[in-house]
Amino acid sequence: MRWATRRGVHVDRAACAWLIRRHVDPDAEFVFVDDPADVPHDATPFDLRGVELGHRDGRCSFESVLLRYGLDTDPVLSRIGEIVHAADLDDDRFDAPEAPGLDVLLRGLSMTGDDERTLAVSGPLLDGLAEYVRRSYLLGREPA
Amino acid sequence: MPSEWILLSYRLPREPSTPRIALWRRLRRLGVAQVSDGLVALPSDARTREQLEWAADHVVDHGGEASLWTARPATDGQERALAEQMSSQRAQEYREVAGEARTALHDDPADARRALLRLRRRHREVARRDFFPPAARDEAAASLRALEAHVAGRPATSGATATALARPGTTAAAR
């Protein structure tokens, strides 16, 4: 399937792409557009104005993808949703000390390469975050 | 030549008031300049643009009207007026941080530490929406350093680490 989002990927879009590839569509292909009107007909838009997989009712796009694909019951993904929300919206809704660091790393990535590279690098980074969160759930404390 | 700004023009019904308050909070957090009633502006970059796009969506979702524009002030003077408006609002916020940090110097260590954590956070918030850094920024940073020293129980002449800690989030201001 094809998925479309706006060019200049930051934390919310990078995390959405990761989530889509890992949990929704392993063969996902991503298209980057400047204008929402340029989204190809066969592509599902995300993190664009006015789309279902965007900022809705106080959710960030990552949380909208979780909800749409029934992934919001997964505690690890929900926690990553809180971290991405805090990194993207910075609105004090969740306690997520990881967020400012994640935001800075993703912003730096977007300064040093194109969107394909940002997704390529942020993928393993988010895999690592997911594993860390998973282990903290299993242990009930911060993993070593 | 004046630089590019992103403008949000909006109209939101007076009632219910909750979405209006949410919008107001959101715009305040972004540190917008108020151009006139229902028209706010930020220096244009990928981030400010995106933030105002979501704000526009919020308005539309709650039965209002919103449009986004990129524009250059016609004169340097006009741009300066916007910058001064934003800069003086940030200065006010920095002075509050500085004032509270100075007050906390008289607190016992535990209270001073709590105040330090809260004020660091507040300072970061202000710095993030500080596009035209006022002189008061340095005053706030210096007061935070003094409070850090007080909490750490060392004399108030602190090193480079404290300076670095007190000055994050100012990248957006390097314009």
Side-chain angles (χ1 to χ4, degrees), chain B residues 94 120 123-124 126-128 137 162-171:
Chain B
Y94 282 126
R120 269 185 189 156
H123 185 266
R124 252 201 310 276
V126 178
R128 211 176 288 133
R137 182 181 69 168
T163 311
L165 279 175
R167 302 186 65 135
T170 51
T171 41

Side-chain angles (χ1 to χ4, degrees), chain A residues 6 13 49-50 90 92, chain B residues 50 53 57 61 121 128:
Chain A
R6 89 183 81 196
R13 270 160 284 160
R49 274 194 71 186
D90 187 29
D92 295 325
Chain B
E50 188 186 332
E53 282 182 11
D57 265 7
D61 285 349
R121 190 184 169 77
R128 211 176 288 133

Side-chain angles (χ1 to χ4, degrees), chain A residues 6 13 47-50 54-56 61 88-92 103 107, chain B residues 29 46-47 50-51 53-54 56-57 60-61 66 68 121 125 128 171:
Chain A
R6 89 183 81 196
R13 270 160 284 160
D47 202 57
L48 279 168
R49 274 194 71 186
H55 286 212
R56 293 261 152 234
S61 302
D88 192 39
L89 293 170
D90 187 29
D91 61 1
D92 295 325
D103 182 44
R107 278 205 262 168
Chain B
R29 197 173 62 240
R47 196 173 169 83
E50 188 186 332
Q51 297 291 344
E53 282 182 11
W54 298 129
D57 265 7
V60 173
D61 285 349
L68 283 169
R121 190 184 169 77
E125 261 173 44
R128 211 176 288 133
T171 41

Side-chain angles (χ1 to χ4, degrees), chain A residues 37-85:
Chain A
D38 296 339
V39 171
H41 291 300
D42 63 338
T44 308
F46 65 97
D47 202 57
L48 279 168
R49 274 194 71 186
V51 305
E52 185 186 4
L53 304 178
H55 286 212
R56 293 261 152 234
D57 305 324
R59 293 189 303 271
C60 69
S61 302
F62 185 93
E63 294 169 299
S64 292
V65 176
L66 283 182
L67 195 65
R68 168 69 182 76
Y69 294 97
L71 299 166
D72 54 317
T73 49
D74 181 318
V76 172
L77 294 179
S78 294
R79 175 59 189 157
I80 294 178
E82 293 183 0
I83 297 169
V84 173
H85 179 111

